[in-house]
Amino acid sequence: MAPMPDADRLAQQFAVEQFLYDEAELLDDCRWTEWLTLVSEDIDYRIPVRSTRDRQAGVSDFSSHAFHLVEDHGALAVRLGRLSTDSWSENPPSRTRRMISNVRIKENSAAGIAVRSNLLFYWERAEQSSVLAAERRDLLRPGPTGFLLRARLVLLDHTILPTPSLSVVL
Amino acid sequence: MSGNPRAAEASPRLQETLSAFEAELDRGSVPLWIFNDPEVHRLELERLFPRTWIFLAHESEIPMAGDYVTRNIGEDSFLVVRGADAAVRVMFNACRHRGTKLCITDRGNTHEFICPYHGWLYDSSGKLASVPNQRDAFKGLDAGQWGLIPAPRVESYRGLVFACLDESVGSLAEHLGDFRWYLDLHLTLTPGGMEVIGEPIRWMIEADWKNAADNFSGDSYHTQTVHRFALKFGLVPRATAGSGGNPYDVHVTECSGHTTSIRQLPPDRPIFWGYPDEIKALFANSTLSPEQVSVAKGSLVHSGNIFPNLSFLHVGGTNDPKKPMIPYLTLRQWQPRGPGRMEVVSWVLAPSEASDAYKKRSYSVASSQFGSAGTFEQDDASAWSGIARTAKGVFPRRIGMKLNYEMGLPWMSEARIKQDWPGPGIVYDSNLEEGVQRTFLRQWARLMAKP
């Protein structure tokens, strides 16, 4: 595939960044139903468990079988529906702030735009707080208002999560 | 080698509390402050965790020679290694030379553990295999005396590897005792038994491990309140998480120190936790007795605690009401990490004969309900953290605030000893009782009071 002209690359970089910021805003503002409209029906959302392994072993830290979260659209809708309505432990709600940075477009293909970004996620509730760090690997597809999130892989920097609950989506 | 006996003394105040504990417990009274106290925590590390059987790993986590995981007993790190001879060994994770932590990875496969300080090399049986510059520096070293220190006792039951740091404690079989009757219901349903799906999920909760063990011992009373969204969203059947007092619910207390809470459907409905037909077909070849099968048959959900800190939950559910329910079995260990603080280590298991598709779906439902992102677990953790918050307080200590553990005492509740129950333990005909939780605290107090 011929390399993109710089002007197009800049435009795409801007559009992808704005999408990620808008998406983060919806999540931080607890606008779960609106966030779901940015997600494709065949979304693959997963946060694999990470174990510290010997570098020489050549085995990934990230599990292929164990996940903090591995959900499709239906499961996400139920999870977020709970947050909107009747969650015992989300009343009062958690406060979150997602800092997205280092947005890198890795590849354009028929499947979509492969994007990597860094996430710093602040969470607070009931006198407790935590900060999580992760790399996100997303696959974006064209959508009605710009993009749709087709896949998100969250690669945490933690093997033992310093937070009592990933009640919200990262 | 001689230890440090003076380190395990309790203050007069704690001694007084412990010696009065069981009598108070039998009246349904428990002091709040034991759930967040530095001295209690310290004494648990010295008197409790080293003096009973502690779960470490499932055999299916370390199937091949050289496979290892690093795990904790109390807050001490141990290597759990499958040797070249296929034996599982548990060894203190410290080099014998200068004592640095030998292995700082969580898991892997090796027959050579090399110390990062001076390069002493141990094989997968813990034997000191080589030291650098041996001829000049250590020509008189008797390597046989300097291997990794093994845990005094290591035994397995149905794939669960346990260790005990005390030589004088009875066998694992004695520790599990009559409760093996209930454990078998979960671990030997199929000829191949259960195996883990992937690595365990690990996360921190700012709450005392005892509150989690207490809850899983058989807190049936909270499900209708804390987990009510599950009913609203159709994620579990009403009979699984609804109000207590159903005639087919039982609480198994005082079963060799372990407990379980069981909810069932009427006997004419062979639900077996909701296992699909292709797995139920395998149950015909299990080694369970007809009585055990009769209990398994009607089972909706079992939760329970193996003293001290290994809990389990076997239940059918879904993460999307448009998709069918599927059973999952989760084992979880509540590890002490300081007063009022714990690390949870949570495994998901499935019948080894089950298809990959079954295991994937079971895992995804399990992790959506219980685990770091588990919607049920979050509600529990939030309540437990609240206890840690109040239990460390000055005011409740000054007034000697006591908690109400009276449910199920004869003068308080309707629960009675169940007639015609085929399993062991002191079994009640209702889950509106707290003898399950008193059982856990009783075992705790007995070990803690023993100097």
Side-chain angles (χ1 to χ4, degrees), chain A residues 51-54 63 66-68 71-72 74 79 82 86 88-89 125 127-128 160-161 164-167, chain B residues 105-107 199-204 225 228-229 319-320 323 363 368 372-373 375 378-379 382 385 389:
Chain A
S51 308
T52 302
R53 289 186 181 265
D54 190 302
S63 179
F67 301 88
H68 294 279
E71 310 221 310
D72 59 15
R79 170 175 291 268
R82 164 181 172 261
D86 187 54
W88 196 249
S89 70
R125 187 176 183 269
E127 299 172 298
Q128 291 181 52
I160 307 173
L161 291 202
S165 72
L166 281 180
S167 50
Chain B
T105 50
D106 294 332
R107 61 196 306 122
E199 299 83 338
I201 300 173
R202 302 168 72 184
W203 74 104
M204 301 298 296
T225 309
R228 68 184 182 197
F229 84 92
N319 54 4
D320 180 354
K323 298 214 192 86
Y363 190 96
S368 78
S372 52
T375 49
Q378 285 151 20
D379 296 334
S382 178
S385 291
R389 183 68 179 80

Side-chain angles (χ1 to χ4, degrees), chain B residues 118-265:
Chain B
H118 302 93
W120 279 31
L121 192 157
Y122 303 85
D123 71 18
S124 52
S125 73
K127 178 162 150 276
L128 180 61
S130 75
V131 311
N133 308 106
Q134 168 136 36
R135 206 168 332 158
D136 296 329
F138 279 107
K139 66 175 197 262
L141 188 73
D142 175 7
Q145 298 297 311
W146 293 100
L148 296 180
I149 301 175
R153 321 278 301 283
V154 180
E155 290 179 30
S156 243
Y157 183 76
R158 307 279 191 230
L160 307 182
V161 178
F162 288 78
C164 182
L165 302 184
D166 187 329
E167 288 282 6
S168 67
V169 167
S171 69
L172 177 62
E174 284 170 44
H175 171 73
L176 296 174
D178 291 341
F179 198 72
R180 286 172 290 171
W181 195 95
Y182 296 101
L183 276 185
D184 287 354
L185 297 178
H186 308 295
L187 301 173
T188 62
L189 274 173
T190 65
M194 291 287 187
E195 66 181 23
V196 296
I197 306 175
E199 299 83 338
I201 300 173
R202 302 168 72 184
W203 74 104
M204 301 298 296
I205 299 182
E206 298 299 312
D208 194 82
W209 72 274
K210 295 190 292 297
N211 287 121
D214 172 282
N215 180 288
F216 272 73
S217 291
D219 184 333
S220 306
Y221 188 49
H222 79 295
T223 55
Q224 64 191 335
T225 309
V226 168
H227 302 313
R228 68 184 182 197
F229 84 92
L231 304 174
K232 181 173 171 161
F233 280 75
L235 303 183
V236 287
R238 177 156 295 278
T240 298
S243 59
N246 181 303
Y248 298 102
D249 298 338
V250 304
H251 264 197
V252 176
T253 75
E254 302 293 345
C255 187
S256 306
H258 318 291
T259 63
T260 180
S261 164
I262 300 174
R263 294 195 193 221
Q264 300 184 285
L265 289 178

